[in-house]
Amino acid sequence: QVQLQESGPGLVKPSGTLSLTCAVSGGSISSSNWWSWVRQPPGKGLEWIGEIYHSGSTNYNPSLKSRVTISVDKSKNQFSLKLSSVTAADTAVYYCARKIVVALSSTTFYYYMDVWGKGTTVTVSS
Amino acid sequence: SSELTQDPAVSVALGQTVRITCQGDSLRSYYASWYQQKPGQAPVLVIYGKNNRPSGIPDRFSGSSSGNTASLTITGAQAEDEADYYCNSRDSSGNHGVVFGGGTKLTVL
């Protein structure tokens, strides 16, 4: 079955750029799913960051949109997250996840995230 | 602030039934999905769609929805059900985003 694995630096300096990659195994990133990033600050809840389709279409959390870029590399079967101008508030566990979209009609959908990576901790500190 | 509202904490006696709720305007139009998260672990999908359980999720977990409220019910709660539970659904603002509820800490007494 599909498995996801996050990787990237665990420490990023303030004002720098956080860069993470999610490797997809056991399935193709070109399948009809969206690929998401979710984060969780220490002791807090889950926050959706954004997502990408294999075509390159993206959706971002409006509160992070100005700093986020999500890209896909189909040749490597992976997708990536870049978050710029980071501060201590961006310290979190970052998860990647597969999002399934189910169409109930031409205009009505629902979503769920059925596969998650184990998460990677990123600390923003000098 | 989250567009999906959950009670921060709920408790249930071992073997009893508990309902965890999630409120939000988007739930009038879209089903919620529910995730269980234990300390130090990634979230696990437990309910999606109208009332569907992924393979491996016990049938004591069920979902329902009415108006702007989605509910996750655990019938006969077990000690291993103690965890944080999050709902999520489509963003109600009209874009194609996703939003999570703030989470509910379930304690099994």
Side-chain angles (χ1 to χ4, degrees), chain B residues 87-107:
Chain B
C87 59
N88 100 337
S89 188
R90 181 173 176 169
D91 187 323
S92 62
S93 67
N95 65 32
H96 296 285
V98 171
V99 63
F100 284 94
T104 297
K105 168 65 178 175
L106 175 66
T107 300

Side-chain angles (χ1 to χ4, degrees), chain A residues 2-9 18-31 33-39 47-60 68-83 94-100 113-120:
Chain A
V2 172
Q3 294 185 315
L4 305 178
Q5 178 66 58
E6 306 90 347
S7 62
L18 178 161
S19 297
L20 297 174
T21 296
C22 181
V24 180
S25 60
S28 173
I29 202 166
S30 295
S31 58
N33 304 301
W34 287 79
W35 304 94
S36 302
W37 287 99
V38 176
R39 70 180 183 179
E47 179 181 33
W48 177 75
I49 299 170
E51 63 189 11
I52 192 164
Y53 198 69
H54 61 78
S55 63
S57 294
T58 54
N59 295 307
Y60 296 133
V68 173
T69 302
I70 297 176
S71 59
V72 64
D73 186 336
K74 289 186 280 186
S75 67
K76 295 182 178 179
N77 218 37
Q78 64 186 34
F79 62 107
S80 299
L81 167 70
K82 290 189 185 299
L83 180 66
Y94 286 76
Y95 296 100
C96 55
R98 181 175 74 174
K99 190 185 90 172
I100 304 286
M113 296 175 178
D114 67 332
V115 179
W116 294 69
K118 294 186 186 306
T120 188

